[in-house]
Amino acid sequence: MKLVIRTVFFHLCCIVLFTGIYYYLRGELFIPNATEVTAMDCALLSTTIQSSVGMTNIAPLTNLTKIVMSIQQLVLITTYVFTVYIFSL
């Protein structure tokens, strides 16, 4: 049970961390029909990536934001692989 709680806590920390990063880089994100990117938009983006849904209307404009999104996806994938490995022992 401790592993499950740690994994959930890790994902929540990742969501908060990447929300802050996306908010810092908010000028490099694009939302159709919006004048500015808000903190809630960044939280939505981070949550959809971390939950592996990936369906949002926010798009990266620069290579930097594409790299940050890729890093978050790699963190997510390695966490899932590690968790599945531990639970399959």
Side-chain angles (χ1 to χ4, degrees):
M1 190 65 180
K2 281 185 177 181
L3 182 62
V4 173
I5 293 170
R6 286 185 203 160
T7 303
V8 169
F9 182 72
F10 174 76
H11 284 290
L12 291 174
C13 288
C14 284
I15 289 170
V16 170
L17 173 72
F18 281 100
T19 296
I21 293 171
Y22 295 135
Y23 189 72
Y24 178 75
L25 298 172
R26 66 187 175 271
E28 301 179 22
L29 297 172
F30 171 73
I31 301 176
N33 303 322
T35 55
E36 65 181 45
V37 178
T38 64
M40 193 65 191
D41 295 325
C42 296
L44 171 69
L45 176 63
S46 182
T47 303
T48 56
I49 291 173
Q50 195 68 26
S51 66
S52 72
V53 174
M55 297 180 70
T56 183
N57 61 344
I58 303 172
L61 290 176
T62 63
N63 287 335
L64 178 61
T65 51
K66 291 176 186 177
I67 289 170
V68 171
M69 286 182 186
S70 297
I71 289 170
Q72 185 177 6
Q73 290 169 342
L74 288 173
V75 167
L76 174 71
I77 290 168
T78 55
T79 304
Y80 282 164
V81 168
F82 178 73
T83 305
V84 168
Y85 174 75
I86 293 297
F87 284 133
S88 65
L89 289 178

